[in-house]
Amino acid sequence: MRLAEFLSQVLATHGEVLLRLAALIGEEELLELLEKAEELHPTDGPYPDDDPEGLKEFARWELWLKERLVASPGESAPQAMAEIQSSVSGLDLPEVLEFYVWAYSGYRAYVETSLGLALRIPRQGPTGAPSESGLQLTDDAIARAKTWFRRLPLPPHLAATAERAAEVPWLRFRTEVLKRVGRRPLGPVY
């Protein structure tokens, strides 16, 4: 699976989560929660230059990522970005929700690395055994989604229902990605 496909899936899944939350609590209320979350957690995602610990953490994550992805022959970063943009456009989201899809830290973390987008998730490791990369990247994407969700200042009476609404798209994401990288999609998601 190419990184562009993986990131398209991440963004589509996040878009579906936003739509589900908007249907549950209303689009205006969701937008207020998203703005409050940004105020409460301004460094969600890649870190500013003046945060040495955040930069170290990001560098460790970038190295971790580099160990799990391989070059994708024939793929160029502009082609990959065009594919990602096309998939987000195809979601037909309201403009403001599309903005929050592009702003999603679980996506930005990938595109703000020095690795570029012309990469893929290998199905096999260097020894020929099935690669763990797809599973690890999927689990990382879901962990980032959980962190994003937990930062939303949801009213307590809506939290459990909203969490159930948010976990369904990520369950489908996990199943789809693991199938595409040659893994059995079993195990907990949220």
Side-chain angles (χ1 to χ4, degrees):
M1 174 177 223
R2 294 177 301 107
L3 181 59
E5 294 169 300
F6 179 79
L7 292 177
S8 292
Q9 283 290 135
V10 165
L11 291 175
T13 302
H14 186 63
E16 186 178 345
V17 168
L18 291 175
L19 285 173
R20 288 169 147 262
L21 292 175
L24 179 68
I25 62 177
E27 190 174 323
E28 286 185 28
E29 290 81 4
L30 175 61
L31 295 176
E32 286 179 26
L33 290 175
L34 293 169
E35 288 175 15
K36 284 180 189 173
E38 284 181 3
E39 291 169 10
L40 294 170
H41 308 284
T43 58
D44 184 24
Y47 300 92
D49 292 337
D50 61 351
D51 180 4
E53 282 307 307
L55 287 173
K56 286 180 190 173
E57 183 180 326
F58 186 72
R60 282 190 296 272
W61 182 78
E62 188 175 26
L63 180 61
W64 178 87
L65 188 62
K66 187 177 185 176
E67 293 170 351
R68 282 151 184 81
L69 296 170
V70 296
S72 184
E75 176 98 13
S76 73
Q79 285 174 312
M81 192 63 208
E83 180 179 335
I84 294 167
Q85 288 172 336
S86 175
S87 71
V88 171
S89 293
L91 297 174
D92 292 324
L93 296 170
E95 278 186 34
V96 71
L97 290 183
E98 186 173 318
F99 168 80
Y100 280 103
V101 166
W102 286 116
Y104 178 52
S105 59
Y107 162 75
R108 286 186 4 250
Y110 283 87
V111 296
E112 293 183 11
T113 67
S114 62
L115 301 177
L117 294 175
L119 300 168
R120 65 178 172 78
I121 302 169
R123 287 180 77 107
Q124 295 181 333
T127 63
S131 173
E132 292 294 315
S133 295
L135 178 62
Q136 293 165 343
L137 290 167
T138 300
D139 288 347
D140 180 68
I142 291 169
R144 288 174 184 278
K146 285 181 189 179
T147 298
W148 176 87
F149 180 83
R150 289 186 181 128
R151 289 181 175 173
L152 285 178
L154 288 161
H157 70 279
L158 288 175
T161 305
E163 186 171 8
R164 284 190 300 276
E167 69 186 7
V168 170
W170 287 106
L171 178 59
R172 279 191 235 127
F173 165 84
R174 185 176 198 282
T175 301
E176 180 62 28
V177 170
L178 292 182
K179 276 195 243 179
R180 305 246 348 253
V181 297
R183 299 290 309 233
R184 292 182 54 188
L186 300 175
V189 174
Y190 250 66

